[in-house]
Amino acid sequence: VQLQASGGGLVQAGGSLRLSCAASGRNIWNYDMGWFRQAPGKERVFVGSIRRSLSYAYYADSVKGRFTISRDYAKNTMYLQMNSLKPEDTANYYCTTLRSWPNNPTDYWGQGTQVTVSS
């Protein structure tokens, strides 16, 4: 499956953004999927994930209660709704499939989408 993240941008602290992860090649209901992010000079870290069939989601403590992951099977797309954004959420965001639940990614990353939160 090929994945393309989009929807990033510049937003003020407290604002919201919705990221999209469009899949092609395979249907997303075949995969557990996740969002990760990488800030400048830092390692890529887990943000959240969603199971292939139950749509059960799991989140990193740093985003719990602010971010929500969902899927649209008709559009073969996963979303990351980000509310109450903080400057520390600034990063390049990537979507990927998971090797194992809840936060072990495969090696495929694709292009990310940049999110910048100003204070």
Side-chain angles (χ1 to χ4, degrees):
V1 61
Q2 292 186 324
L3 303 172
Q4 179 63 56
S6 63
L10 174 63
V11 63
Q12 288 188 332
S16 299
L17 280 176
R18 189 178 78 158
L19 306 185
S20 298
C21 175
S24 60
R26 296 286 300 273
N27 292 318
I28 61 171
W29 60 72
N30 291 315
Y31 303 93
D32 294 335
M33 298 181 69
W35 288 97
F36 292 74
R37 65 187 182 187
Q38 186 169 20
K42 296 187 177 180
E43 292 186 351
R44 190 173 291 159
V45 298
F46 172 75
V47 174
S49 54
I50 189 165
R51 299 229 66 164
R52 69 188 72 188
S53 58
L54 299 177
S55 290
Y56 173 79
Y58 178 84
Y59 300 96
D61 287 344
S62 59
V63 305
K64 200 173 296 182
R66 300 188 297 122
F67 291 11
T68 303
I69 299 175
S70 61
R71 300 178 184 244
D72 185 330
Y73 291 104
K75 295 182 179 180
N76 213 27
T77 299
M78 177 178 66
Y79 300 99
L80 179 64
Q81 177 67 44
M82 304 185 296
N83 299 328
S84 302
L85 282 162
K86 305 175 181 180
E88 51 263 44
D89 294 319
T90 295
N92 205 7
Y93 283 71
Y94 299 87
C95 58
T96 188
T97 53
L98 298 184
R99 191 185 308 277
S100 62
W101 182 259
N103 58 5
N104 185 19
T106 59
D107 295 328
Y108 177 78
W109 290 105
Q111 276 193 316
T113 185
Q114 178 67 37
V115 172
T116 303
V117 185
S118 63
S119 57

